[in-house]
Amino acid sequence: MSELTTKLFIDVKNFEKYQSMLKCQVHIEEERHGDYCLPGFPDRHNFHRLLRILRKHDDGLTSKQLIYDFDYRPSDLEDATKALVTNNLATTTPINEEDYKI
């Protein structure tokens, strides 16, 4: 009986290990196949929202407009802008020390 119990315990441990590996692989594949999955960008929702807003405004928007008119938090806007610029999807033009145009 103890031999069967030991074998069952080892089989369960192997199953848990393989299940954990599968979860990691699924997570990695999901990240790779997402639309505009950019390195270094933590919140995909804010990134997609910024892209949708910028598509509607061909002449670009200022950071102040995005913060006040579109209710962006400054830190989220900064992260999204860095991701866009890093991946050559947008450019920024400084207006003054605090504001810039995307």
Side-chain angles (χ1 to χ4, degrees), residues 53-99:
I53 291 169
L54 290 174
R55 269 190 224 129
K56 294 176 185 176
H57 298 87
D58 292 332
D59 57 339
L61 292 169
T62 65
S63 58
K64 202 176 265 190
Q65 287 174 311
L66 287 165
I67 291 170
Y68 293 113
D69 297 343
F70 295 97
D71 200 31
Y72 257 96
R73 287 189 300 182
S75 60
D76 289 341
L77 180 61
E78 186 176 324
D79 289 343
T81 303
K82 282 181 185 177
L84 287 172
V85 171
T86 301
N87 291 281
N88 297 321
L89 296 173
T91 58
T92 58
T93 307
I95 297 173
N96 57 35
E97 289 181 11
E98 297 174 4
D99 297 326

Side-chain angles (χ1 to χ4, degrees), residues 9-64:
F9 179 75
I10 291 171
D11 288 344
V12 168
K13 284 295 182 188
N14 284 335
F15 174 77
E16 289 173 350
K17 179 178 81 173
Y18 293 132
Q19 186 179 27
S20 175
M21 290 170 56
L22 179 63
K23 284 180 183 178
C24 288
Q25 184 62 32
V26 167
H27 178 69
I28 289 169
E29 290 300 319
E30 183 180 278
E31 289 293 320
R32 285 184 187 156
H33 295 298
D35 291 335
Y36 296 107
C37 206
L38 300 179
F41 190 72
D43 190 351
R44 189 179 294 166
H45 173 73
N46 284 330
F47 175 72
H48 286 289
R49 182 171 171 238
L50 182 59
L51 280 178
R52 284 192 305 270
I53 291 169
L54 290 174
R55 269 190 224 129
K56 294 176 185 176
H57 298 87
D58 292 332
D59 57 339
L61 292 169
T62 65
S63 58
K64 202 176 265 190

